[in-house]
Amino acid sequence: MCGTDTSSLTDYIENTLRTEYAFVRTLSDRAIGKTELYRKNTGEFLVKITSYHRNDHVFRLLRGKALQSLPKIYEVASAQDALTVLEEYVDGNTLAEVLENGTLPTGRAVSIALDLCAALKELHTRNIIHRDLKPDNIIIRPDGHAVLIDFGVARLTSDKKRGDTMNLGTIGYAAPEQFGISQSDPTTDIYALGVVLNEMLLGVHPTIDMPKRRLGRIINRCVTTQISKRYPSVQDLEKALSSVSHQR
Protein backbone atom coordinates (compact mmCIF):
# COMPACT_ATOMS: atom_id res chain seq x y z
CA MET A 1 0.00 0.00 0.00
CA CYS A 2 1.20 3.51 -0.69
CA GLY A 3 -0.15 7.00 -1.13
CA THR A 4 -0.07 10.55 0.14
CA ASP A 5 -0.73 11.71 3.67
CA THR A 6 -4.36 12.66 3.21
CA SER A 7 -7.71 11.45 4.46
CA SER A 8 -8.10 9.67 1.10
CA LEU A 9 -5.23 7.36 2.08
CA THR A 10 -7.01 6.59 5.33
CA ASP A 11 -10.15 5.78 3.34
CA TYR A 12 -8.12 3.58 1.01
CA ILE A 13 -6.67 1.65 3.95
CA GLU A 14 -10.10 1.16 5.51
CA ASN A 15 -11.54 -0.07 2.21
CA THR A 16 -8.62 -2.47 1.69
CA LEU A 17 -8.99 -3.91 5.18
CA ARG A 18 -12.72 -4.30 4.64
CA THR A 19 -12.42 -6.10 1.27
CA GLU A 20 -9.16 -8.04 1.54
CA TYR A 21 -8.82 -8.73 5.26
CA ALA A 22 -10.87 -10.15 8.11
CA PHE A 23 -10.86 -8.63 11.58
CA VAL A 24 -9.40 -11.10 14.09
CA ARG A 25 -9.34 -9.36 17.46
CA THR A 26 -8.47 -6.18 19.35
CA LEU A 27 -4.96 -6.41 20.78
CA SER A 28 -5.22 -3.29 22.94
CA ASP A 29 -7.64 -0.44 23.50
CA ARG A 30 -6.38 2.59 25.44
CA ALA A 31 -7.12 6.29 25.66
CA ILE A 32 -4.22 7.06 23.32
CA GLY A 33 -5.36 4.59 20.67
CA LYS A 34 -6.39 1.11 19.59
CA THR A 35 -4.43 -1.80 18.10
CA GLU A 36 -6.25 -4.43 16.03
CA LEU A 37 -5.21 -7.64 14.31
CA TYR A 38 -6.38 -8.48 10.78
CA ARG A 39 -5.86 -11.54 8.60
CA LYS A 40 -5.56 -11.29 4.85
CA ASN A 41 -7.56 -13.62 2.63
CA THR A 42 -4.28 -15.33 1.73
CA GLY A 43 -3.46 -15.97 5.39
CA GLU A 44 -0.98 -13.22 6.35
CA PHE A 45 -1.59 -11.19 9.49
CA LEU A 46 -1.43 -7.39 9.75
CA VAL A 47 -1.66 -4.96 12.66
CA LYS A 48 -3.72 -1.79 12.36
CA ILE A 49 -2.99 1.00 14.84
CA THR A 50 -5.32 3.94 15.38
CA SER A 51 -3.44 6.56 17.41
CA TYR A 52 -4.80 9.71 19.06
CA HIS A 53 -1.43 10.61 20.60
CA ARG A 54 -0.38 11.98 17.19
CA ASN A 55 3.31 11.17 17.15
CA ASP A 56 2.99 10.86 13.36
CA HIS A 57 6.61 11.88 12.80
CA VAL A 58 7.92 8.85 14.70
CA PHE A 59 6.05 6.37 12.51
CA ARG A 60 7.06 8.25 9.35
CA LEU A 61 10.73 7.91 10.24
CA LEU A 62 10.26 4.14 10.61
CA ARG A 63 7.97 3.58 7.61
CA GLY A 64 9.18 1.13 4.99
CA LYS A 65 12.41 0.23 6.79
CA ALA A 66 13.53 -3.28 7.78
CA LEU A 67 15.09 -2.60 11.18
CA GLN A 68 16.70 -5.02 13.60
CA SER A 69 14.45 -6.25 16.42
CA LEU A 70 11.60 -3.88 15.43
CA PRO A 71 8.37 -4.54 13.50
CA LYS A 72 8.16 -3.09 10.00
CA ILE A 73 5.87 -0.10 9.49
CA TYR A 74 4.10 -0.55 6.16
CA GLU A 75 1.96 2.57 5.91
CA VAL A 76 1.19 5.78 7.82
CA ALA A 77 -1.88 7.90 7.13
CA SER A 78 -2.73 11.15 8.89
CA ALA A 79 -6.31 12.34 9.21
CA GLN A 80 -7.76 15.18 11.24
CA ASP A 81 -8.98 13.02 14.11
CA ALA A 82 -6.39 10.22 14.25
CA LEU A 83 -3.30 8.59 12.83
CA THR A 84 -3.65 5.21 11.11
CA VAL A 85 -0.67 2.87 10.93
CA LEU A 86 -0.30 -0.52 9.27
CA GLU A 87 2.39 -2.58 10.97
CA GLU A 88 3.95 -6.02 10.69
CA TYR A 89 2.46 -8.65 13.00
CA VAL A 90 5.17 -10.27 15.12
CA ASP A 91 4.31 -13.83 16.09
CA GLY A 92 5.28 -15.07 19.53
CA ASN A 93 4.64 -14.53 23.23
CA THR A 94 5.22 -11.35 25.16
CA LEU A 95 8.11 -11.37 27.59
CA ALA A 96 5.51 -10.82 30.32
CA GLU A 97 3.89 -14.14 29.34
CA VAL A 98 7.27 -15.88 29.27
CA LEU A 99 8.12 -14.59 32.75
CA GLU A 100 4.89 -16.02 34.15
CA ASN A 101 6.79 -19.34 34.13
CA GLY A 102 9.62 -17.92 36.22
CA THR A 103 12.93 -16.12 35.80
CA LEU A 104 15.34 -16.82 32.94
CA PRO A 105 18.86 -18.26 32.90
CA THR A 106 21.51 -15.56 32.79
CA GLY A 107 22.59 -16.30 29.22
CA ARG A 108 19.01 -16.19 27.95
CA ALA A 109 18.26 -12.92 29.76
CA VAL A 110 21.43 -11.27 28.45
CA SER A 111 20.63 -12.46 24.90
CA ILE A 112 17.19 -10.83 25.07
CA ALA A 113 18.72 -7.66 26.51
CA LEU A 114 21.17 -7.55 23.58
CA ASP A 115 18.26 -7.87 21.12
CA LEU A 116 16.63 -4.91 22.86
CA CYS A 117 19.87 -2.96 22.62
CA ALA A 118 19.80 -3.57 18.86
CA ALA A 119 16.23 -2.25 18.70
CA LEU A 120 17.09 0.83 20.74
CA LYS A 121 20.12 1.56 18.55
CA GLU A 122 17.82 1.63 15.52
CA LEU A 123 15.52 4.08 17.30
CA HIS A 124 18.13 6.27 18.95
CA THR A 125 20.14 6.74 15.74
CA ARG A 126 16.92 8.19 14.31
CA ASN A 127 16.49 10.43 17.38
CA ILE A 128 13.51 8.40 18.63
CA ILE A 129 12.96 7.53 22.30
CA HIS A 130 10.62 4.58 22.89
CA ARG A 131 9.60 5.59 26.46
CA ASP A 132 7.58 2.44 27.21
CA LEU A 133 10.01 -0.47 27.18
CA LYS A 134 8.46 -3.19 29.37
CA PRO A 135 7.76 -6.96 29.19
CA ASP A 136 4.30 -6.43 27.65
CA ASN A 137 5.92 -4.56 24.74
CA ILE A 138 8.54 -7.21 24.00
CA ILE A 139 7.66 -10.16 21.77
CA ILE A 140 9.77 -13.31 21.96
CA ARG A 141 9.54 -14.93 18.55
CA PRO A 142 9.50 -18.73 18.08
CA ASP A 143 13.22 -18.56 17.12
CA GLY A 144 13.98 -16.97 20.50
CA HIS A 145 14.80 -13.46 19.30
CA ALA A 146 13.16 -10.46 20.96
CA VAL A 147 11.28 -7.71 19.11
CA LEU A 148 10.36 -4.36 20.68
CA ILE A 149 6.86 -3.22 19.76
CA ASP A 150 4.42 -0.37 20.52
CA PHE A 151 5.63 3.10 19.55
CA GLY A 152 2.47 4.69 20.91
CA VAL A 153 4.24 7.07 23.30
CA ALA A 154 7.57 7.28 21.47
CA ARG A 155 8.81 10.75 20.62
CA LEU A 156 11.66 12.53 18.92
CA THR A 157 14.44 13.87 21.12
CA SER A 158 14.29 17.60 21.77
CA ASP A 159 16.69 19.94 23.49
CA LYS A 160 14.13 22.73 23.68
CA LYS A 161 12.02 21.35 26.52
CA ARG A 162 13.08 21.25 30.15
CA GLY A 163 10.62 18.52 31.09
CA ASP A 164 8.22 16.01 29.56
CA THR A 165 4.86 17.71 29.09
CA MET A 166 2.87 14.51 29.64
CA ASN A 167 3.40 11.68 32.14
CA LEU A 168 3.66 8.78 29.71
CA GLY A 169 5.17 5.35 30.29
CA THR A 170 4.51 2.56 32.75
CA ILE A 171 5.12 2.92 36.48
CA GLY A 172 7.91 0.60 37.54
CA TYR A 173 9.66 0.82 34.17
CA ALA A 174 9.43 4.55 33.48
CA ALA A 175 12.45 6.59 34.54
CA PRO A 176 11.94 9.43 37.06
CA GLU A 177 12.33 12.11 34.37
CA GLN A 178 9.21 10.81 32.61
CA PHE A 179 7.12 12.26 35.42
CA GLY A 180 8.01 15.87 34.71
CA ILE A 181 11.25 16.07 36.70
CA SER A 182 13.29 16.71 33.56
CA GLN A 183 13.26 15.91 29.85
CA SER A 184 13.42 12.26 28.77
CA ASP A 185 16.32 11.29 26.54
CA PRO A 186 17.86 8.03 25.21
CA THR A 187 19.04 7.08 28.71
CA THR A 188 15.35 6.90 29.66
CA ASP A 189 15.13 3.72 27.56
CA ILE A 190 18.37 2.45 29.12
CA TYR A 191 16.76 2.83 32.56
CA ALA A 192 13.78 0.73 31.47
CA LEU A 193 16.01 -1.93 29.93
CA GLY A 194 17.88 -2.22 33.22
CA VAL A 195 14.60 -2.81 35.05
CA VAL A 196 13.51 -5.43 32.49
CA LEU A 197 16.86 -7.23 32.69
CA ASN A 198 16.63 -7.35 36.48
CA GLU A 199 13.10 -8.73 36.25
CA MET A 200 14.23 -11.43 33.83
CA LEU A 201 17.02 -12.48 36.19
CA LEU A 202 15.43 -12.13 39.64
CA GLY A 203 11.72 -11.51 39.07
CA VAL A 204 11.73 -8.24 41.02
CA HIS A 205 12.35 -4.53 40.55
CA PRO A 206 15.97 -3.40 41.10
CA THR A 207 14.89 -1.41 44.16
CA ILE A 208 14.13 -4.75 45.85
CA ASP A 209 17.15 -6.80 44.81
CA MET A 210 19.83 -6.95 42.12
CA PRO A 211 22.22 -9.66 40.93
CA LYS A 212 25.71 -9.84 42.36
CA ARG A 213 28.95 -8.96 40.62
CA ARG A 214 29.19 -7.71 37.04
CA LEU A 215 25.52 -7.93 36.04
CA GLY A 216 24.44 -6.21 39.21
CA ARG A 217 26.82 -3.33 38.51
CA ILE A 218 25.52 -3.06 34.94
CA ILE A 219 21.89 -2.93 36.07
CA ASN A 220 22.68 -0.49 38.86
CA ARG A 221 24.25 1.90 36.35
CA CYS A 222 21.21 1.60 34.07
CA VAL A 223 18.68 2.43 36.78
CA THR A 224 20.40 5.19 38.69
CA THR A 225 18.12 8.20 39.08
CA GLN A 226 20.99 10.50 38.06
CA ILE A 227 20.84 10.64 34.28
CA SER A 228 24.50 11.67 34.00
CA LYS A 229 25.62 8.47 35.75
CA ARG A 230 23.75 6.05 33.46
CA TYR A 231 25.37 4.54 30.38
CA PRO A 232 25.61 7.52 28.01
CA SER A 233 24.42 5.46 25.04
CA VAL A 234 22.87 2.09 24.30
CA GLN A 235 26.08 1.20 22.46
CA ASP A 236 27.95 1.47 25.76
CA LEU A 237 25.39 -0.74 27.48
CA GLU A 238 25.57 -3.24 24.63
CA LYS A 239 29.35 -3.40 24.99
CA ALA A 240 29.05 -4.09 28.73
CA LEU A 241 26.44 -6.82 28.21
CA SER A 242 28.47 -8.40 25.40
CA SER A 243 31.45 -8.71 27.74
CA VAL A 244 29.25 -10.65 30.17
CA SER A 245 27.95 -12.84 27.36
CA HIS A 246 31.46 -13.65 26.13
CA GLN A 247 32.58 -14.62 29.63
CA ARG A 248 29.99 -17.39 29.81
Side-chain angles (χ1 to χ4, degrees):
M1 297 180 192
C2 61
T4 57
D5 301 324
T6 64
S7 58
S8 62
L9 176 56
T10 304
D11 294 339
Y12 172 75
I13 289 173
E14 294 294 342
N15 183 63
T16 301
L17 290 175
R18 187 165 49 250
T19 58
E20 299 181 21
Y21 290 78
F23 172 78
V24 178
R25 67 179 186 273
T26 298
L27 299 175
S28 69
D29 191 355
R30 301 177 292 171
I32 63 170
K34 180 185 292 188
T35 304
E36 300 169 308
L37 180 63
Y38 285 81
R39 183 174 183 173
K40 196 172 184 179
N41 299 338
T42 51
E44 298 93 346
F45 288 96
L46 181 72
V47 172
K48 175 196 173 189
I49 300 167
T50 304
S51 175
Y52 307 113
H53 182 52
R54 303 316 302 263
N55 55 346
D56 305 34
H57 43 287
V58 168
F59 287 98
R60 293 190 188 291
L61 282 174
L62 300 175
R63 179 175 57 184
K65 297 179 175 64
L67 304 177
Q68 190 174 0
S69 297
L70 295 171
K72 189 170 184 179
I73 305 299
Y74 296 121
E75 190 55 273
V76 181
S78 299
Q80 186 172 357
D81 57 340
L83 171 71
T84 300
V85 177
L86 296 182
E87 181 179 287
E88 173 190 6
Y89 172 68
V90 181
D91 186 31
N93 295 316
T94 67
L95 179 59
E97 291 169 334
V98 172
L99 293 177
E100 288 177 0
N101 296 318
T103 57
L104 303 180
T106 300
R108 182 79 184 100
V110 171
S111 177
I112 291 173
L114 286 170
D115 284 342
L116 296 173
C117 283
L120 291 179
K121 282 197 301 182
E122 297 279 22
L123 296 177
H124 293 176
T125 55
R126 292 168 175 80
N127 297 317
I128 298 170
I129 313 169
H130 188 276
R131 295 203 298 173
D132 201 17
L133 195 158
K134 60 182 179 180
D136 283 322
N137 286 340
I138 300 164
I139 302 293
I140 308 300
R141 300 188 319 201
D143 63 6
H145 287 286
V147 178
L148 180 61
I149 63 169
D150 194 347
F151 311 117
V153 299
R155 72 164 186 85
L156 298 183
T157 55
S158 172
D159 294 326
K160 297 179 180 179
K161 298 178 181 178
R162 290 180 295 177
D164 280 7
T165 54
M166 297 178 65
N167 294 340
L168 297 172
T170 301
I171 293 175
Y173 302 96
E177 60 269 17
Q178 289 181 259
F179 299 97
I181 296 173
S182 60
Q183 177 72 342
S184 57
D185 66 14
T187 69
T188 299
D189 290 335
I190 291 174
Y191 178 100
L193 181 46
V195 175
V196 169
L197 177 56
N198 202 82
E199 190 171 341
M200 287 193 286
L201 293 168
L202 299 182
V204 296
H205 194 275
T207 55
I208 298 174
D209 194 13
M210 280 190 278
K212 308 302 181 186
R213 301 175 183 169
R214 176 70 171 153
L215 268 176
R217 292 193 293 272
I218 290 173
I219 292 171
N220 186 61
R221 186 173 179 185
C222 288
V223 302
T224 178
T225 57
Q226 291 183 258
I227 297 174
S228 62
K229 292 188 176 182
R230 295 178 198 156
Y231 288 98
S233 72
V234 72
Q235 287 89 341
D236 293 304
L237 172 57
E238 181 181 49
K239 183 177 179 181
L241 289 172
S242 295
S243 69
V244 173
S245 179
H246 292 155
Q247 289 172 6
R248 296 189 58 79

